[in-house]
Amino acid sequence: MPQSPTHPRRGEVYLVSLGTKRRPAVILSVDALNRHALDVCVVGLTTVEHAKFSMRVPIKAGDGGLDADCWAKCDQVTTFEKIQEQVKISLGL
């Protein structure tokens, strides 16, 4: 039986601290980097739709285990350190 990975994997959704808020975020960085780097690249998710922001990608409720319709905030790609305590929400957007 394969062991579960000890590093975040691309496409997984985690609850992370981005600025002053904790919000779900999708892991963007590739697994090879996620395995060895000290940080990972993420894009935060929001439940607030902004029609004027063309770089927000819609994600339907149920995708990736999300409870509500969300938008990936592709205009706000960022990184976070893996040593921070994060909560994994679900797999595979």
Side-chain angles (χ1 to χ4, degrees):
M1 174 178 232
Q3 290 184 324
S4 61
T6 57
H7 60 277
R9 298 183 62 102
R10 186 177 206 167
E12 291 178 336
V13 178
Y14 283 77
L15 186 61
V16 300
S17 295
L18 295 174
T20 59
K21 292 185 173 185
R22 287 185 59 82
R23 67 171 64 246
V26 178
I27 305 295
L28 295 180
S29 46
V30 296
D31 292 338
L33 286 175
N34 296 340
R35 200 172 8 260
H36 301 290
L38 297 177
D39 55 8
V40 293
C41 182
V42 301
V43 62
L45 303 177
T46 182
T47 57
V48 178
E49 180 182 10
H50 287 285
K52 66 180 179 173
F53 295 142
S54 64
M55 292 186 65
R56 303 262 169 117
V57 178
I59 302 170
K60 294 287 184 193
D63 286 351
L66 296 168
D67 294 333
D69 288 347
C70 293
W71 287 263
K73 299 171 75 172
C74 298
D75 52 316
Q76 296 182 10
V77 176
T78 190
T79 60
F80 74 87
E81 291 185 44
K82 289 191 303 189
I83 59 172
Q84 295 177 3
E85 186 176 329
Q86 308 300 333
V87 179
K88 182 176 171 183
I89 296 174
S90 61
L91 291 174
L93 278 178

